């Protein structure tokens, strides 16, 4: 059984973790086209290479990011989300509302 | 029957002073403590232990080490026990398997005569024509197929699991394994040494590396003493490492326990399987591998026969011959498959004992006694080419044939880890390479066959492991061994067949070749078509000859052909070991025992246990209707502790709520509740609940029972990105909760709640209040889920049971009565309230289920907002509607289809009989054209019938919602 | 043994109850922080048994927690010691336990062997501060103690984290899965007896208690009360 290095709790059996999907850049929901939005929701790259993924350590409720190679399944590194997400995120208002 | 045993030093495992009586196939025998069932039987000259799978040929032991399946026997409470591994106990009653009549006179042997009509893969083309004939064949095949019988009344024994952690784990305690363990232990690391057999030593415990075996014995004892004296080596005997999993995670099965061992470094010294030679009748009882004969003599002091022939492709067979001779067996000949003399010293030793040596020859056919029950002689021929022999026969009488067709590394664990096998034409053997980091190989599994090289290889592997652990700077010198122990082609097809490649599956040489002729050229296809390697011994003996035959037949190298994928388990594994102690967590509310005491029928809701209704099961329908009526007319109480609860606190609490749920929360007043709908990024409704605002910066929001964990996880994952100043806290278990509902609910509350104005003005519908009930701090909301005046009371769960008791006591004057999940579902259905994941599916967006009113599109964002916009702007296809049917109509069930002509336009999601409404009510997805009240929808019910239901507007009951707003 | 009360109340006398009080029906109880705690389950209980292998239910004992940006400052204001690192615990002079779960979540567990009402009052009346949120760990979690020399071997049957003394000594803390349930395991001492405290979801407390008892049996252990640990007078 694979060992995952939790940035907070150290090395643990992978059964303690829950996969949370790929880390992806959300386009501005109120400004992008329908097509851009649908691609964001439904399409995945599915390439061989490194991907960044959300992982949850279930017993502690701690979310972190893992960089994993999709072919070898090697987990290259794991780190706290604050490395990627430093700023408070704001959303552009709904243009139909602002226009009114 | 008496049995005489060979004198010491033979008999490492037995206790000559402890005879044990036992039974086999109805006959009584005597063995000794330390015998296996098979060794005890052979000591009594009983060789026929089983019948082969397809042809029901008599079989006896082949390896004496549990590596073959010829010794499968039936124990009183367990089928398919390996007789050469199962320890003998006093009074043991053992039966044979797979026969019709008796083991000795099996009517099934007639199948052997039909061999011509049972070619490889015959079952793919038979048994099904003419149509209907299978029903007859099935009965017959069910009776004849299978091995052994399972006692369905057996009582499972306690099995469990245990985790263990080591720096170095060594699999296999032969010379390489023991040496590796000692080298590692000398550096101070923790070492686990895992050995399958009941004694340490591997080949050192049965083979003689020199003439009299003295030095071998001394070497073994020295290593064992050192291992036993090393405080940091843990030894596990009778322990099988049954697989290799990522990061050196090793299931080691010993007794009734599966040890889950995590090794920082793992050294596999699993040894090599001696191989058989393929010739006609090579499966007769009395034909053993050379190492098997040695084990029989060394471990159990059993003389394997009176007059023996030894067939060998390596020097090891010569040692076997000399050992047999020393133990009083008349060795009539040593037949050497190799073209030239290899070892003059050993040849001279044979000559010294007057043992004839026949070079470049093979056994072409083993001759049998009547009924193929034992070998009686051999037909020896000179080898004239690859797989070909001269026509001149030399016949030799014998009752024992020991054969060694070379070795195959015990590759399984290593290949499970990703190591690759490649075949060397010079050495005629497979070897392993490309091991992952932290996994090492040592000994004969690594192609070492001289004892000094084996030991050196153990040192090398352990040194490499220590280097990985940062405890050594040494360079682990590679070790090479030049000895060739495999003959090039020990396969001699015979015109009359029965030259077995795979003993388990009764596959002959031509079966393998014919599979390739039918187009199955890839080794994986050959396996699946012919079943080669799929029996209990899993290819330990069949993989090598199959690879050679398929390579030859398809004009490829043996490396290219390869062997099939090795997968765990390594040995057959009992489900009891895998299941272990069975951890099946369950959750109970604080009021759980009160429900039991009040006669509730409990039902699982995820891992929770909830009361479905109160009363005996035979009265279910009546009780559910009564409970619902009671809530409508008086007052009832239901335990809703299982609902999820999440505290959202902090300066950004309202902003966070606003982004998670579809409704607007920024301006929700303190002291009010609001319906909260959660959509996912696809715009699908995935959860709902009620959000109470306790303060400007404090919300308490509920979720569905099954959604609690998922909603909490999504919330925390989103905020890991948004970085809002908010604390999100899952308090599902911190609070116990009840819903007190019915026209008399306020009267009950007035008895209990100390410090809150309960008047309709002071505590209106949808308000939130905090107070105390007999000193218990309580959060209270007025909710309308069941459509009556109702209060949800949340208290810290340590007080849950006490709260329940207080409510039931205080409610006595108004006949308060508990109601369960089933009646609650009926009550909410009467009000047209959806239950997420019952009335919603993987595509339901808010518009389809009547929740547009809960979607606020003025705010900048909520999860899935863009998707909801897109979905709701498309032409709608379906709509969730309410429908009615008369009480005497067949009742549709959840999932029944709604049809419009031949088209499926939807399905029923909820449907119940309602005594309050006097008929059947339900909700279903219908085509939008049929969604207006007054329309009719057609529902296909059980038995292919169709009912026509009337679409009505929701709610069914109390359309003005007056009752819940009292 | 002046801590023992002569009149031993039944757990149901209190409205605050341990989730598993029924599992120790027949035990002698005492009041602890507004609920009942088992003093003695069998006549043959002894300190020696607790030092070998035993299971205690301390759920009645006072505990509280906070988390957030300013949680450690708040702790300092309460004159309580802060464990130096994430996933560590510290025992105070008065036998209370401070747990640091992750980086900024702190639990304070009262001393199960004596009354904690002073501590409870102090913490409950302490002013709240921005960035420091109170937690409901008194009610959300049950608190069991696995005592004695066999505790690492018992945990090895339930948990995939290595809890041998050499790698999980006093002060160590792990948030992990025990018998497939999320749990916090703390290594510390109670009156000189080495123990593991196991805090897990109260709604699966009965299940967890049964799993722990089952694992103990191999070592001759069973459940016990706290009387054998009370400081002698």
């Amino acid at each position: 059984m694979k060992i995952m290095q939790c940035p907070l709790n150290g090395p643990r059996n992978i059964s303690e973790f829950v996969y949370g999907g790929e880390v992806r850049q959300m386009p501005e929901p109120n400004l992008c086209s329908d097509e851009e939005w649908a691609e964001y929701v439904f399409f995945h790259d599915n390439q061989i290479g490194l991907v960044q993924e959300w992982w949850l350590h279930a017993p502690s409720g701690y979310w972190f990011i893992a960089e994993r190679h999709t072919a070898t399944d090697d987990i290259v590194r794991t780190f706290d989300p604050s490395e990627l997400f430093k700023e408070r995120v704001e959303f552009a208002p709904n243009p139909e509302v602002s226009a009114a | 029957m008496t049995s005489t045993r060979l004198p010491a030093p033979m008999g490492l495992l037995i206790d000559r002073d402890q005879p044990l009586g036992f039974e086999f196939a109805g006959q009584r025998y005597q063995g000794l403590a330390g015998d296996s069932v098979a060794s005890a039987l052979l000591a009594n000259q009983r060789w026929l232990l089983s019948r082969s799978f397809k042809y029901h040929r008599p079989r006896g032991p082949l390896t004496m080490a549990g590596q073959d399946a010829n010794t499968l026997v039936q124990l009183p409470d367990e089928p398919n026990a390996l007789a050469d591994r199962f320890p003998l106990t006093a009074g043991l009653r053992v039966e044979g398997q797979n026969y019709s009549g008796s083991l000795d006179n099996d009517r099934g042997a007639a199948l052997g005569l039909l061999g011509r009509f049972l070619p490889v893969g015959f079952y793919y083309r038979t048994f099904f024509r003419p149509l209907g004939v299978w029903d007859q064949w099935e009965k017959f095949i069910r009776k004849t197929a299978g091995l052994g019988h399972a006692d369905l009344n057996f009582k499972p024994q306690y099995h469990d699991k245990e985790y263990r952690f080591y720096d170095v784990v060594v699999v296999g305690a032969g010379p390489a394994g023991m040496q590796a363990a000692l080298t590692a232990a000398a550096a101070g690391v923790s070492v686990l040494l895992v050995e399958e057999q009941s004694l340490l030593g591997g080949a050192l415990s049965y083979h003689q590396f020199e003439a009299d075996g003295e030095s071998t014995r001394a070497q073994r004892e020295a290593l064992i003493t050192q291992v036993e004296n090393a405080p940091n080596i843990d030894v596990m005997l009778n322990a099988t490492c049954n697989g290799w999993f990522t990061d050196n995670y090793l299931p080691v099965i010993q007794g009734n326990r599966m040890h889950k061992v995590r090794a920082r470094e793992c050294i596999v010294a699993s040894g090599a399987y001696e191989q058989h030679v393929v010739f006609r009748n090579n499966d007769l009882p009395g034909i053993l591998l050379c190492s098997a004969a040695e084990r029989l003599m060394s471990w159990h002091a059993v003389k394997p026969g009176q007059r023996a022939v030894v067939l060998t492709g390596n020097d090891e067979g010569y040692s076997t011959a000399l050992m047999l001779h020393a133990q009083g067996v008349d060795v009539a000949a040593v037949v050497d498959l190799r073209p030239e003399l290899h070892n003059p010293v050993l040849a001279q030793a044979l000559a010294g004992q007057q043992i004839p040596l026949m070079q470049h020859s093979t056994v072409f056919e083993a001759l049998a006694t009547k009924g193929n029950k034992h070998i009686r002689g051999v037909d020896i021929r000179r080898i004239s080419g690859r797989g070909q022999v001269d026509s001149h026969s030399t016949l030799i009488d014998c009752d024992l044939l020991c054969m060694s067709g070379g070795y195959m590394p015990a590759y399984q664990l290593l290949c499970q880890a990703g190591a690759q096998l490649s075949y060397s034409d010079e050495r005629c053997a497979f070897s392993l390479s490309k091991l992952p980091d932290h996994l090492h190989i040592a000994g004969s599994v690594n192609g070492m066959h001289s004892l000094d090289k084996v030991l050196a290889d153990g040192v090398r592997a352990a040194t490499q492991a220590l280097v990985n652990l940062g405890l050594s700077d040494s360079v682990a010198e590679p070790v090479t061994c030049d000895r060739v122990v495999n003959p090039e082609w020990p396969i001699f097809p015979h015109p009359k067949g029965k030259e077995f490649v795979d003993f388990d599956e009764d596959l002959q040489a031509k079966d393998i070749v014919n599979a390739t002729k039918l187009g199955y050229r890839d080794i994986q296809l050959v396996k699946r078509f012919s079943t080669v390697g799929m029996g209990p011994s899993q290819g330990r003996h069949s993989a090598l000859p199959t690879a050679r035959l398929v390579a030859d037949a398809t004009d490829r190298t043996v490396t290219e052909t390869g062997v099939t994928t090795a997968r765990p388990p390594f040995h057959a594994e009992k489900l009891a070991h895998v299941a272990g102690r069975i951890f099946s967590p369950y959750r109970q509310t604080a009021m759980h025992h009160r429900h039991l005491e009040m006669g509730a029928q409990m039902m699982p809701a995820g891992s929770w246990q909830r009361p479905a209704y109160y009363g005996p099961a035979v009265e279910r329908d009546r009780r559910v209707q009564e409970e619902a009526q009671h809530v409508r007319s008086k007052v009832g109480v239901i335990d809703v502790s299982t609902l999820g609860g999440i505290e959202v606190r902090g300066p950004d609490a309202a902003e966070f709520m606003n982004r998670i749920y579809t409704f607007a929360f920024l301006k929700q007043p303190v002291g009010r509740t609001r319906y909260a709908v959660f959509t996912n990024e696809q715009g699908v409704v995935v959860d709902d609940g009620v959000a109470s605002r306790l303060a400007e910066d404090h919300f308490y929001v509920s979720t569905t029972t099954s959604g609690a964990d998922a909603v909490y996880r999504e919330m925390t994952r989103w905020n890991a990105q948004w970085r809002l100043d908010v604390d999100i806290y899952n308090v599902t278990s911190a609070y116990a909760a009840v819903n007190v509902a019915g026209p008399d609910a306020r009267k009950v509350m007035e008895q209990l709640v100390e410090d809150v104005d309960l008047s309709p003005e002071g505590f209106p519908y949808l308000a939130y209040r905090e107070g105390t009930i007999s000193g218990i701090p309580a959060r209270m909301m007025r909710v309308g889920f069941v459509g009556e005046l109702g209060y949800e009371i949340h208290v810290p769960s340590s007080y849950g049971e006490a709260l329940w008791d207080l409510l039931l006591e205080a409610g006595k004057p108004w006949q308060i009565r508990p109601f369960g999940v089933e009646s609650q579902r009926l009550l909410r259905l009467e009000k047209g309230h959806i239950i997420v994941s019952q009335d919603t599916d993987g595509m339901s967006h808010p518009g389809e289920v009547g929740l547009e009113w809960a979607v606020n599109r003025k705010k900048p964002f909520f999860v899935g907002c863009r998707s909801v916009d897109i979905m709701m702007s498309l032409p709608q296809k379906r709509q969730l509607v309410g429908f009615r049917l008369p009480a005497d109509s067949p009742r549709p069930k959840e999932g029944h289809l709604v049809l419009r002509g031949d088209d499926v336009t939807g399905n029923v999601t909820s449907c119940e009989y309602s005594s309050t409404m006097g008929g059947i009510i339900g909700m279903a997805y219908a085509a939008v054209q049929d969604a207006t009240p007054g329309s009719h929808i057609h529902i296909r019910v059980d038995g292919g019938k169709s009912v026509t239901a009337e679409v009505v507007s929701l709610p069914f009951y109390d359309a003005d919602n007056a009752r819940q707003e009292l | 043994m002046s801590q023992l009360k002569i009149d031993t109340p039944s757990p149901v006398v209190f409205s605050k109850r341990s989730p598993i009080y029924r599992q120790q029906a027949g035990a002698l109880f005492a009041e602890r922080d507004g609920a009942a705690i088992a003093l003695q389950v069998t006549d043959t209980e002894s300190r020696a048994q607790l030092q070998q292998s035993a299971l205690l239910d301390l759920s009645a004992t006072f505990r509280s927690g906070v988390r957030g940006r300013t949680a450690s400052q708040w702790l300092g204001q309460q004159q309580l010691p802060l464990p130096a690192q994430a996933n560590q615990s510290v025992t105070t002079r008065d036998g209370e336990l401070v747990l640091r779960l992750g980086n900024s979540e702190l639990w304070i567990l009262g001393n199960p062997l004596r009354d904690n009402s002073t501590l409870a009052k102090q913490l409950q009346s302490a002013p709240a501060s921005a960035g420091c949120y109170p937690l409901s760990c008194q009610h959300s979690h049950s608190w069991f103690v696995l005592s004695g020399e066999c505790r690492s071997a018992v945990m090895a049957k339930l948990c995939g984290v290595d809890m041998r003394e050499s790698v999980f000594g006093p002060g160590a803390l792990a948030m992990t899965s025990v018998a497939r349930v999320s749990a916090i395991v703390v290594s510390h001492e109670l009156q000189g007896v080495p123990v593991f405290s196991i805090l897990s979801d109260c709604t699966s407390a009965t299940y967890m208690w049964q799993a722990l008892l089952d694992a103990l049996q191999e070592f001759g252990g069973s459940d016990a009360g706290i009387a054998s640990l009370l400081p002698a007078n």
Side-chain angles (χ1 to χ4, degrees), chain C residues 35-75:
Chain C
I37 192 167
L39 281 179
Q40 192 181 345
V41 174
T42 62
D43 292 333
T44 50
E45 270 166 47
S46 65
R47 187 182 164 83
Q49 188 206 330
L50 266 58
Q51 272 175 325
Q52 165 74 4
S53 169
L55 184 65
L56 310 174
D57 176 26
L58 304 185
S59 300
T61 314
F62 167 76
R63 55 196 171 279
S64 75
V66 289
R67 75 173 177 209
R69 252 179 7 249
T70 59
S72 42
Q73 281 138 273
W74 180 91
L75 189 73

Side-chain angles (χ1 to χ4, degrees), chain B residues 265-295:
Chain B
E265 301 290 318
C266 178
I267 301 172
V268 174
S270 47
Y273 297 120
E274 192 167 35
Q275 302 290 290
H276 63 295
V277 180
V278 180
F279 56 84
R280 176 169 162 77
N281 287 337
N282 59 350
D283 66 328
L284 294 173
I287 302 183
L288 292 170
L289 297 177
C290 288
S291 55
E294 294 178 355
R295 289 185 184 102

Side-chain angles (χ1 to χ4, degrees), chain B residues 877-898:
Chain B
K877 294 209 181 89
R878 61 176 193 172
Q879 181 75 31
L880 189 71
V881 300
F883 66 86
R884 290 185 71 121
L885 283 161
D888 56 0
S889 161
R891 183 172 73 75
K893 294 184 184 143
E894 293 157 27
H896 278 161
L897 299 176
V898 175

Side-chain angles (χ1 to χ4, degrees), chain A residues 1 13 29 32 34 40 88, chain B residues 247 262 652 681 860 866-867:
Chain A
M1 142 140 62
N13 290 344
C32 66
D34 281 357
Y40 161 73
R88 179 200 170 94
Chain B
D247 291 334
R262 180 76 74 181
D652 280 328
E681 283 201 289
R866 184 63 188 268
S867 299

Side-chain angles (χ1 to χ4, degrees), chain B residues 68 117 168 181 183 190 370 430 447 509 560 571 623 754 868 961:
Chain B
D68 65 279
F117 304 105
V168 176
T183 305
S190 61
K370 180 159 175 283
F430 276 104
E560 282 175 303
H571 265 308
R623 294 281 178 150
E754 286 151 5
V868 170
N961 295 328

